Amino acid sequence: MLTPLQTDLASVVEGVNLVWVLTVTFLIFFMHAGFAMLEAGQVRAKNVANQLTKNLLTWSIGVIVFFLLGAAVSSIVAALTSGSALDITGAFMSLYAPDASATTAWVDWLFGAVFAMTAATIVSGAVAGRARLRAYLTYTILIAGVIYPVVVGFTWGGGFLDALGFHDFAGGMIVHGMGGIAGLTAAWIIGPRMDRFKPDGTANVIPGHSITFAVLGTLILAFGWYGFNVGTAAAPLAYADGAVTLGSFAYVGRVALVTTLGMAAGAIGAGGVAMYKTGKVDTLYVANGVLAGLVGITAIADDIVWPGALVVGLLAGAQLPVIFEFVEKRLRIDDVCAVFPVHGSAGVLGALLYPVFAVPLWHDGASFVSLAVPQVIGVGVIAIWTFVATAVVFGGFRALGQVRVSSDHEREGLDTAEHGVDTYPEFGSPDHDTGIRTDGSGVPSGDGFMTTGRED
């Protein structure tokens, strides 16, 4: 029986740990600002509002669906695939208790929800510029309610992949890998943007409207990634036998270090390969290389040391230009924001490299095969499930003729066609009759040129 002092200490430990989890959860939530800026910067100016709206609604719709359905689905799938007792009522009711005893469950749910929403929002960057909003939002409902929760049930929820020994520390494959595969599948089914490919199959470059936004979004995402990895690593305090000790902080410094080195090496790898291939250091490749390095390190950040982080980060960044070119020129899939090479292939790479650099291999005597087999099976299962589920949803919309906007709307821009707004109205055309824009600029001068509307 706990004494009053022990009870107080236990409550303090629980409170500190809950505050920590909430803090890193909010940090991960802030990554949605990064996704919004990154994707907005890589689309045309006429589609910026559409991309921002998708990001806002992905969170708003997805988080409610994950609360009402997704979290329970992951528990049910875990029970079904692990042979444990199935308690459907308990799976749904644990989150809905109206009293304070549910506080820990609510916090745990929110921590899981920001991971789920990260997986969901990745898809929007791949299908930018031509996806019909209703099709995308329907997919958001299904990925938040079923597709992603099934993957969690297989893995973190305690399902058969977890029992097999599949290792994914903070979502390198479970979140990012599956999001990238889903995005590539959706982009393939929807088809490329107009004029993205010439009649002979060669690619046209359709540049994004703001590298500045894209780089800002990259840095916001990199900042939020510390919530992903370091947040997953640390429970600041532990209480046992009447004593308060440091929890998992014993290795949190290593996780922070390898996360930092992975992102830096990713930028160098992507920039170096771009330089080798084109003679230029492409800014977007460097920016996306930061993210690819982070994705590559995320699945294994808890179980490697710094030399492994440098190698994995370099490889994850280096594969980016190669895989992007393969997707574009060989598969002829229009992946607007390089979703697959940044999240998909980098996530697969990191998970598969775990047995090469894992601490248990080098220090605890584990065999390479015993570590590699669960990774290969886990990556395969997640990839196949994600591909099939995504193909069914978008294939269904395509069969109904509802998967993409009309050619007129695509040419006009989705900001106007889908939302009735103009993200940059000052750059729009002046009134056809007066030649004057709403802000007063564009007054015709006597020599036929448009002026600023000021009298000199």
Side-chain angles (χ1 to χ4, degrees):
M1 181 175 182
L2 295 177
T3 67
L5 177 58
Q6 290 173 324
T7 302
D8 289 343
L9 286 175
S11 298
V12 169
V13 168
E14 182 182 14
V16 169
N17 289 342
L18 287 177
V19 169
W20 167 261
V21 173
L22 286 172
T23 300
V24 298
T25 296
F26 303 151
L27 194 61
I28 299 170
F29 166 75
F30 189 59
M31 292 174 72
H32 283 272
F35 278 114
M37 291 297 97
L38 177 67
E39 294 173 12
Q42 293 185 82
V43 301
R44 304 298 287 168
K46 64 183 181 180
N47 295 321
V48 172
N50 177 257
Q51 208 60 28
L52 298 177
T53 304
K54 285 177 180 175
N55 276 273
L56 290 169
L57 289 177
T58 297
W59 168 264
S60 302
I61 294 173
V63 78
I64 293 175
V65 172
F66 187 74
F67 177 72
L68 296 176
L69 179 63
V73 167
S74 64
S75 298
I76 294 169
V77 169
L80 290 174
T81 62
S82 66
S84 58
L86 177 61
D87 181 7
I88 295 179
T89 302
F92 278 94
M93 292 306 295
S94 62
L95 292 177
Y96 310 132
D99 53 42
S101 64
T103 298
T104 301
W106 293 337
V107 172
D108 289 344
W109 166 81
L110 184 56
F111 185 66
V114 291
F115 281 74
M117 295 307 98
T118 299
T121 201
I122 289 170
V123 180
S124 66
V127 299
R130 76 277 199 196
R132 193 180 289 264
L133 186 63
R134 70 190 67 168
Y136 172 77
L137 293 181
T138 300
Y139 182 75
T140 295
I141 292 171
L142 292 173
I143 194 173
V146 179
I147 300 173
Y148 172 79
V150 166
V151 174
V152 172
F154 289 161
T155 53
W156 291 333
F160 79 100
L161 290 179
D162 178 66
L164 189 65
F166 177 69
H167 185 95
D168 188 340
F169 172 61
M173 185 64 202
I174 294 170
V175 176
H176 295 277
M178 76 143 311
I181 292 168
L184 183 70
T185 306
W188 168 58
I189 292 174
I190 292 176
R193 288 168 291 175
M194 296 173 62
D195 301 323
R196 181 64 173 88
F197 296 99
K198 300 175 184 178
D200 63 1
T202 57
N204 284 317
V205 176
I206 302 178
H209 90 290
S210 176
I211 290 179
T212 304
F213 280 4
V215 172
L216 174 62
T218 298
L219 295 174
I220 293 173
L221 284 168
F223 173 66
W225 224 289
Y226 286 110
F228 246 99
N229 290 4
V230 179
T232 301
L237 299 178
Y239 178 81
D241 299 325
V244 178
T245 60
L246 289 177
S248 55
F249 262 49
Y251 72 104
V252 70
R254 185 175 72 196
V255 172
L257 173 65
V258 299
T259 298
T260 303
L261 294 178
M263 79 166 82
I268 294 170
V273 171
M275 179 70 177
Y276 172 77
K277 292 174 68 66
T278 67
K280 306 290 183 182
V281 181
D282 186 283
T283 304
L284 281 179
Y285 273 144
V286 173
N288 282 321
V290 169
L291 302 179
L294 284 163
V295 171
I297 212 71
T298 293
I300 58 179
D302 63 324
D303 228 5
I304 64 172
V305 291
W306 68 265
L310 289 174
V311 175
V312 172
L314 280 169
L315 291 175
Q319 61 83 40
L320 171 63
V322 177
I323 297 299
F324 181 80
E325 184 175 318
F326 175 78
V327 169
E328 177 188 58
K329 295 183 178 180
R330 300 296 182 183
L331 300 181
R332 295 189 176 91
I333 296 175
D334 185 14
D335 182 356
V336 179
C337 296
V339 159
F340 181 72
V342 171
H343 300 276
S345 55
V348 169
L349 178 71
L352 294 180
L353 285 176
Y354 172 68
V356 178
F357 299 103
V359 170
L361 176 69
W362 299 103
H363 296 283
D364 300 334
S367 70
F368 178 87
V369 173
S370 67
L371 296 175
V373 170
Q375 297 304 104
V376 173
I377 294 175
V379 167
V381 168
I382 293 170
I384 292 170
W385 162 251
T386 303
F387 170 78
V388 171
T390 304
V392 167
V393 177
F394 281 101
F397 272 101
R398 181 175 179 175
L400 295 172
Q402 297 295 313
V403 77
R404 66 182 294 159
V405 299
S406 68
S407 57
D408 288 341
H409 284 180
E410 185 174 342
R411 189 176 294 109
E412 179 185 9
L414 303 190
D415 290 4
T416 302
E418 294 261 303
H419 309 287
V421 301
D422 189 348
T423 305
Y424 299 105
E426 65 271 30
F427 298 138
S429 300
D431 182 90
H432 291 295
D433 296 326
T434 66
I436 302 174
R437 296 186 177 93
T438 303
D439 63 359
S441 64
V443 179
S445 64
D447 58 8
F449 290 96
M450 304 303 287
T451 72
T452 62
R454 296 177 299 178
E455 296 183 4
D456 298 326

